[in-house]
C-alpha cells in the first residue's frame, strides 16, 4: 500500500509505517502527479481534495486529520466510491481551551471580569458545546445560536461573540459590515466566516471593542494590516494541542484500517503531563489566578507574538508548533485557594491535588 500524507500529522510514520510505504509531502504541495499511484491520501485543512487532485488516480481512501471538511469534495469522493474519514471532535477541547485563554487575556487587558459579561456562542457542536460549559464555569451568562440544531438565542446581542461553525455558503461572511458592531469577536472556526475587510474597518472605526483571530481569509497570506490591529492573532493553531492532534491521527488510522480490513495495532506513547504549584494571595481574584495559571500551561500571548514577529511565517509556525498539552494533563497544587476557585479549575479540566 502506498500512502501520501501531510508531515504535519503527528506520529504519521509510527502509525502508518507498518501498513505500507508512507510518502510525506507538505500539504500545500500535494498535487495530482504525487497521488496518481497512491492507495490512500492523508491530509490536513490546507490541501484541497477534489476532482482536480484525484481524477485518474488509484486513491481508494482519503482522510483529513481535522474536524473541518470544507477542503474536501465529499460528493466527488462518494461518486468515485472513495472512502472518506475525518477527525470530527478530535481537537474540540483544544479549541475550547484556546477560547478560555483568549477570554481571560481580553478581560485582563480590558480591566473587566468575565463573570459580568455575556458570551454569545454561534455554533454549539463539538467545540461550541465545550465553550458553553467552560464559560458557564467562569460565571458567564451564555447565549447559544445554532439554527441547524434549532437553537436560536440572540447570540449577537452578547458582549462577546465566538464563532464555531463550519464553512458553508450559509456561513461564509456570516459576520459582515452590517453586524460587526458593539461586541468583541473571536473566530477560531474558518477564516471566511468573518469578512476580514469588514472587520478591519469595524476595528479601525471603533465599532467593535476587540477581536481575536486564529483563522483568516487568504491563509497563509493573511492581512498584515488586520494582524496589526486585532487584540490577539495566531496562525490557525487553536486546535493544535498535542492531545488533539494525536487523537486525530488515531481516528484516521483506525478508519483506514477499517477500510482496508487491516488490524489496528498502533497505540501512541504520549509524554507525561506537567505539575504546577502556586500560592494564592489573600483577596486575589479568581480570574487573575486563572489567567496566570493558564498562561503557565498555554501561553496564547506567546503565539500572538510569534506571528507578529513575522507574518510570512504562518505555515512555518504551524509546522514547528511546540508541544502543548491540554489542561487535564496538568496537576495543580494550589495553596490558599478558595473552594470557588478550586471548583473552577476542576471544571476546566485540571487535576487538583
Amino acid at each position: 500500500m502506498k500512502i501520501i500524507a501531510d508531515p504535519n500529522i503527528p506520529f504519521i510514520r509510527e502509525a502508518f509505517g507498518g501498513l505500507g510505504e508512507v510518502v510525506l509531502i507538505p500539504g500545500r504541495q500535494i498535487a495530482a502527479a504525487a497521488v496518481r499511484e497512491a492507495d490512500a491520501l492523508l491530509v490536513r485543512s490546507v490541501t484541497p481534495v477534489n476532482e482536480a487532485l484525484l481524477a485518474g488516480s488509484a486513491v481508494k481512501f482519503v482522510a483529513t486529520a481535522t474536524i473541518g471538511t470544507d477542503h474536501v469534495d465529499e460528493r466527488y469522493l462518494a461518486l468515485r466510491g472513495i472512502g472518506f474519514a475525518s477527525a470530527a471532535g478530535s481537537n474540540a477541547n483544544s479549541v475550547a481551551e484556546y477560547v478560555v485563554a483568549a477570554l481571560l487575556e481580553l478581560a485582563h487587558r480590558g480591566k473587566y471580569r468575565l463573570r459580568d459579561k455575556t458570551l454569545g456562542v454561534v455554533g454549539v457542536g463539538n467545540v461550541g458545546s465545550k465553550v458553553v460549559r467552560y464559560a458557564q464555569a467562569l460565571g458567564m451568562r451564555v447565549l447559544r445560536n445554532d439554527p441547524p440544531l434549532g437553537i436560536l438565542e440572540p447570540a449577537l446581542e452578547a458582549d462577546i461573540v465566538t464563532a464555531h461553525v463550519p464553512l458553508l455558503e450559509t456561513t461564509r461572511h456570516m459576520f459582515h459590515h452590517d453586524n460587526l458592531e458593539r461586541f468583541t469577536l473571536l473566530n477560531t472556526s474558518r477564516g471566511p466566516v468573518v469578512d476580514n475587510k469588514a472587520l478591519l474597518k469595524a476595528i479601525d472605526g471603533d465599532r467593535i471593542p476587540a477581536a481575536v483571530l486564529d483563522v483568516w481569509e487568504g491563509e497563509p497570506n493573511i492581512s498584515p494590516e488586520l494582524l496589526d490591529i486585532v487584540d490577539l492573532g495566531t496562525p490557525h493553531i487553536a486546535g493544535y494541542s498535542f492531545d488533539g492532534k494525536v487523537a486525530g491521527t488515531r481516528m484516521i488510522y483506525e478508519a483506514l484500517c477499517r477500510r482496508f480490513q487491516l488490524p489496528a495495532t498502533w497505540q501512541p506513547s504520549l509524554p507525561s503531563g506537567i505539575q504546577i504549584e502556586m500560592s494564592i494571595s489573600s483577596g486575589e481574584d479568581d480570574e487573575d489566578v486563572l489567567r496566570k495559571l493558564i498562561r503557565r500551561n498555554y501561553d496564547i500571548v506567546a503565539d500572538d507574538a510569534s506571528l507578529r514577529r513575522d507574518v510570512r511565517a504562518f505555515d512555518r509556525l504551524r509546522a514547528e508548533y511546540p508541544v502543548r498539552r491540554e489542561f487535564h494533563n496538568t496537576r495543580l497544587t494550589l495553596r490558599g485557594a478558595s473552594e470557588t476557585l478550586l471548583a473552577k479549575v476542576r471544571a476546566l479540566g485540571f487535576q487538583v491535588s
Side-chain angles (χ1 to χ4, degrees):
M1 180 186 300
K2 184 175 183 179
I3 302 168
I4 302 296
D6 186 325
N8 281 348
I9 300 172
F11 292 112
I12 190 69
R13 287 199 185 278
E14 294 88 339
F16 294 90
L19 304 178
E21 178 191 5
V22 178
V23 179
L24 302 183
I25 303 175
R28 297 191 198 278
Q29 298 175 27
I30 295 176
V35 304
R36 189 163 292 122
E37 305 300 324
D39 298 288
L41 173 63
L42 311 177
V43 301
R44 291 190 61 83
S45 60
V46 300
T47 305
V49 180
N50 48 35
E51 182 175 4
L53 179 66
L54 297 179
S57 77
V59 172
K60 304 175 188 67
F61 177 79
V62 171
T64 180
T66 60
I67 59 176
T69 61
D70 53 275
H71 55 296
V72 178
D73 187 340
E74 295 183 58
R75 181 175 178 275
Y76 173 74
L77 297 185
L79 288 172
R80 282 276 312 275
I82 298 172
F84 174 66
S86 70
S90 61
N91 65 354
N93 194 59
S94 176
V95 177
E97 291 183 355
Y98 173 101
V99 171
V100 170
L103 289 172
L104 287 165
E105 185 62 29
L106 289 174
H108 172 74
R109 295 181 184 186
K111 295 180 171 53
Y112 58 81
R113 296 301 180 194
L114 293 176
R115 58 181 174 266
D116 299 327
K117 299 295 181 180
T118 300
L119 181 70
V121 180
V122 180
V124 287
N126 286 319
V127 178
S129 59
K130 290 181 180 293
V131 170
V132 169
R133 187 167 74 248
Y134 290 160
Q136 289 173 335
L138 293 172
M140 302 184 77
R141 176 174 174 247
V142 179
L143 299 174
R144 303 176 303 153
N145 183 279
D146 199 326
L149 297 181
I151 302 170
L152 301 171
E153 291 180 319
L156 299 194
E157 295 180 7
D159 302 299
I160 306 168
V161 175
T162 180
H164 303 288
V165 296
L167 180 60
L168 308 168
E169 285 309 310
T170 53
T171 61
R172 184 179 295 274
H173 287 187
M174 169 183 283
F175 296 91
H176 49 78
H177 181 271
D178 293 337
N179 63 15
L180 281 169
E181 55 183 354
R182 194 187 60 76
F183 56 80
T184 289
L185 176 68
L186 288 77
N187 187 19
T188 55
S189 56
R190 285 291 186 263
V193 166
V194 176
D195 182 337
N196 281 199
K197 291 182 179 178
L199 178 61
L200 181 64
K201 292 180 180 178
I203 300 172
D204 199 41
D206 292 325
R207 290 173 51 210
I208 66 172
V212 175
L213 292 184
D214 179 59
V215 291
W216 313 72
E217 289 195 288
E219 294 177 13
N221 302 310
I222 69 173
S223 165
E225 293 80 14
L226 184 55
L227 176 60
D228 281 345
I229 63 173
V230 295
D231 294 78
L232 291 167
T234 52
H236 201 153
I237 48 74
Y240 262 39
S241 74
F242 189 73
D243 307 81
K245 290 197 289 186
V246 171
T249 301
R250 181 188 291 112
M251 290 173 72
I252 65 171
Y253 167 78
E254 292 174 352
L256 183 146
C257 289
R258 288 193 299 271
R259 175 68 176 183
F260 292 100
Q261 298 182 319
L262 299 169
T265 58
W266 172 72
Q267 290 294 331
S269 176
L270 301 181
S272 60
I274 60 176
Q275 294 190 346
I276 296 177
E277 296 186 10
M278 288 180 63
S279 295
I280 314 303
S281 301
S282 176
E284 193 171 9
D285 190 89
D286 287 356
E287 291 186 20
D288 294 330
V289 175
L290 287 170
R291 172 179 167 271
K292 290 190 292 185
L293 167 63
I294 287 172
R295 281 195 63 177
R296 288 180 62 178
N297 192 97
Y298 164 54
D299 191 351
I300 192 173
V301 176
D303 279 345
D304 170 81
S306 294
L307 184 58
R308 291 181 194 275
R309 279 194 293 270
D310 186 359
V311 67
R312 297 167 298 179
F314 195 94
D315 275 350
R316 178 177 60 78
L317 292 171
R318 285 163 57 86
E320 299 175 1
Y321 196 66
V323 171
R324 173 177 125 214
R325 302 305 303 275
E326 293 179 8
F327 298 164
H328 60 86
N329 295 292
T330 300
R331 181 175 294 279
L332 304 177
T333 301
L334 300 178
R335 290 179 288 272
S338 67
E339 288 301 318
T340 302
L341 175 58
L342 291 173
K344 289 177 181 178
V345 297
R346 288 192 178 105
L348 292 175
F350 291 99
Q351 302 178 53
V352 181
S353 59

